[in-house]
Amino acid sequence: PLDTTLQRWGSAFLRQRGGQRTGATQAPAYMAFDDQLRSRLHLHLTGLARVRHTTPAATAFKTAVLREMKSLIRKHMPSSSDDDNESVVSVSTQKSQQLSQQEKSSILARNLRALDAQDSYNMLARVYTGISESLRRLSVQVKVLLDIASGLENPAAIGVKSGPPSPNPQGPGKPATPGPVAVVAQDEILQVLDMSSLLGQAVDIAQSQVTKVLKVRSEQTSQLPKDEFLKYFTLNRLFADECEAISGRSGTALKTVVGNQIKDYINRFGDGQRRRVVEVMDADRWDARDFGEADNAVLDRILGASTRDIDVWVDASKIWLPENERQQPSPASTTTVNGSGKEKTRSAVIDEQKYILSESAVAMMKSIEEYQYLMANIPSMMQDIAPGLLESLKLFNSRSSQLILGAGATRSAGLKNITTKHLALSSQALSFIIALVPYIREFVRRHAPSS
């Protein structure tokens, strides 16, 4: 099952980072080859060696394996014909047979782009886990074939004999050594079914096909919501790690495509964050607002992240966990009203220092958390994400000055004039963000690569 494979990947990922081994320790069923199957395989390999047909047979096996890699991907793709676009698996229809390969590719690309985020993720998850399980079964099967081939005796002395038994040159009571035909058969199987080469080719073919699919959806990927993008990123990271663990190949092309998509996403993410903060600041009338429980939860996470991982952030990447086991962010804040009907205005507190904040400061605080959320889940891209946060902080500083000291709020928010209250709230907002900076810096230091 798909979930079982994802859990195995998750356990491997956590072990790489010093976590404890989890999950079942019992060997999977596909590793068990009974004596009856081994005996039949031995008989077939002996027969192939006798008629000197080992190389064509091993080559046919290898060809079938590599063809299966493509088939594993193709069967989960949307249709490549307009007649069959409701089917998950493309079926040859009369019209699709008349379409050229280029037309089929064009229809497939269009249908791939039309997938929503969840359908696209489910498709990739099925493709990736299918490839992973097939590669692991293949490695076991090839080991068994090589093991049996290495135990072949002189085929002329086994099974149906075409003549009198071959004498044992070692003398009576001594084990017979493989004859020349058996040695040739062993060498041929070893050469054609070279484990590292075969697994490497299978991985290369699978990743080559997958890379084409990912490229087609680059535009859609860059516009995914944050949580959906992190699921996508994690799925690709775990798949790349799995391929490397099985074949020893790092999959440069796949990593390059995903890396470029991450950079594109980060640029769009930063632009979106700055645009939202500016929209709030331009509309802000610089009145004190209540700093409620949900706001305090955001502040606590930012402060706490300087010394520890925040579960509600990093759980977004734990795609191997069931949805109900992942922590969810706290709900949006609600305004508290006191008994006299007036809004109760609570302050933000950092190191016992209280800050009375306007909407602008709270918006900037929430944007800081968004950046940290992303950095906590993609620490390898810290050097690409952190400059975006710095730009947002600079923008908040300069925009505050324009709106209050430059009286820009009289035009953007319709204030009649700038009063001492507005100056005080702007000063409080800047002081509040300044107080957060040391905590943000320590968070970045904890997650940044050593370089």
Side-chain angles (χ1 to χ4, degrees):
L2 185 150
D3 290 347
T4 304
T5 305
L6 289 178
Q7 286 167 10
R8 175 168 61 76
W9 290 1
S11 296
F13 177 76
L14 294 174
R15 284 201 304 276
Q16 291 171 9
R17 282 148 184 78
Q20 293 183 344
R21 181 182 293 270
T22 58
T25 55
Q26 184 178 356
Y30 65 80
M31 296 188 72
F33 276 74
D34 59 36
D35 291 340
Q36 186 179 5
L37 179 56
R38 282 179 173 271
S39 176
R40 278 164 46 211
L41 284 170
H42 188 281
L43 187 64
H44 290 313
L45 287 174
T46 301
L48 289 167
R50 182 181 298 114
V51 296
R52 290 173 170 75
H53 208 76
T54 309
T55 295
T59 303
F61 175 80
K62 178 179 178 179
T63 302
V65 164
L66 298 181
R67 189 187 303 120
E68 175 71 5
M69 284 298 114
K70 290 185 177 180
S71 175
L72 281 168
I73 299 170
R74 195 178 299 117
K75 74 178 184 179
H76 294 299
M77 293 294 107
S79 172
S80 59
S81 76
D82 286 325
D83 277 3
D84 192 29
N85 56 13
E86 291 183 0
S87 171
V88 176
V89 183
S90 297
V91 179
S92 295
T93 62
Q94 185 174 0
K95 182 176 179 181
S96 67
Q97 289 173 347
Q98 296 169 356
L99 294 173
S100 68
Q101 189 59 46
Q102 185 176 0
E103 288 171 323
K104 289 181 181 179
S105 297
S106 177
I107 294 169
L108 174 60
R110 188 183 68 211
N111 290 339
L112 281 169
R113 293 188 191 101
L115 293 173
D116 64 24
Q118 189 59 46
D119 286 342
S120 173
Y121 172 82
N122 290 340
M123 176 193 72
L124 284 178
R126 288 194 296 268
V127 168
Y128 289 173
T129 54
I131 292 170
S132 165
E133 295 300 341
S134 296
L135 289 171
R136 287 185 173 268
R137 282 154 180 75
L138 173 62
S139 65
V140 172
Q141 291 165 12
V142 173
K143 285 175 184 175
V144 170
L145 286 173
L146 296 177
D147 181 45
I148 294 172
S150 67
L152 287 180
E153 300 171 1
N154 186 355
I158 320 172
V160 180
K161 298 179 176 62
S162 56
S166 301
N168 182 357
Q170 305 297 322
K174 298 287 182 69
T177 56
V181 177
V183 171
V184 170
Q186 292 167 13
D187 290 344
E188 288 176 344
I189 292 175
L190 286 167
Q191 185 175 354
V192 177
L193 300 184
D194 174 65
M195 179 73 82
S196 60
S197 174
L198 179 57
L199 290 174
Q201 287 181 58
V203 165
D204 288 347
I205 286 175
Q207 291 197 356
S208 173
Q209 298 293 310
V210 165
T211 299
K212 293 176 185 176
V213 174
L214 298 187
K215 283 181 177 178
V216 167
R217 282 189 54 83
S218 287
E219 180 67 20
Q220 289 71 28
T221 299
S222 67
Q223 298 181 29
L224 287 172
K226 181 180 73 239
D227 287 350
E228 292 294 337
F229 182 81
L230 290 175
K231 284 171 57 180
Y232 169 84
F233 162 74
T234 305
L235 182 66
N236 280 285
R237 175 173 60 183
L238 294 178
F239 176 63
D241 289 349
E242 171 76 349
C243 287
E244 189 167 356
I246 291 173
S247 70
R249 303 197 185 190
S250 62
T252 305
L254 175 65
K255 289 182 177 178
T256 300
V257 168
V258 175
N260 289 336
Q261 290 178 344
I262 295 170
K263 289 181 179 179
D264 192 17
Y265 180 83
I266 289 169
N267 289 334
R268 289 179 183 242
F269 174 85
D271 290 343
Q273 288 297 316
R274 288 186 287 277
R275 187 170 58 250
R276 280 189 285 276
V277 168
V278 167
E279 286 173 358
V280 172
M281 294 183 77
D282 284 352
D284 195 359
R285 296 188 61 82
W286 297 88
D287 291 321
R289 76 181 298 281
D290 180 48
F291 199 80
E293 292 179 8
D295 299 322
N296 262 314
V298 174
L299 178 58
D300 288 344
R301 288 194 289 269
I302 293 174
L303 299 179
S306 64
T307 57
R308 59 182 170 82
D309 292 337
I310 305 300
D311 290 339
V312 77
W313 294 351
V314 296
D315 276 10
S317 291
K318 294 178 180 177
I319 59 174
W320 55 88
L321 291 179
E323 199 75 36
N324 58 359
E325 291 184 22
R326 296 186 225 164
Q327 289 201 35
Q328 301 297 322
S330 54
S333 58
T334 55
T335 303
T336 303
V337 180
N338 62 22
S340 63
K342 295 180 180 180
E343 293 182 0
K344 178 184 177 184
T345 304
R346 289 168 287 184
S347 303
V349 180
I350 302 177
D351 297 331
E352 299 183 1
Q353 177 68 45
K354 291 184 178 181
Y355 300 90
I356 300 173
L357 302 178
S358 68
E359 200 66 55
S360 295
V362 176
M364 187 65 235
M365 176 189 73
K366 290 178 178 178
S367 183
I368 289 170
E369 184 189 26
E370 292 287 297
Y371 277 105
Q372 290 187 311
Y373 189 110
L374 198 61
M375 287 188 275
N377 284 285
I378 319 180
S380 59
M381 302 300 290
M382 181 70 75
Q383 293 182 347
D384 293 272
I385 304 171
L389 173 54
L390 289 174
E391 287 301 316
S392 291
L393 292 172
K394 291 177 186 176
L395 178 63
F396 181 78
N397 183 45
S398 62
R399 199 73 175 181
S400 297
S401 178
Q402 291 168 9
L403 292 170
I404 302 303
L405 298 181
T410 58
R411 295 182 297 276
S412 66
L415 297 181
K416 289 183 180 180
N417 47 50
I418 302 300
T419 67
T420 53
K421 180 192 80 169
H422 301 136
L423 287 166
L425 281 169
S426 175
S427 176
Q428 285 273 290
L430 291 170
S431 297
F432 174 70
I433 299 302
I434 289 169
L436 287 178
V437 167
Y439 293 93
I440 302 169
R441 185 180 63 232
E442 290 310 308
F443 164 82
V444 172
R445 279 182 177 162
R446 281 203 315 114
H447 287 83
S450 56
S451 60

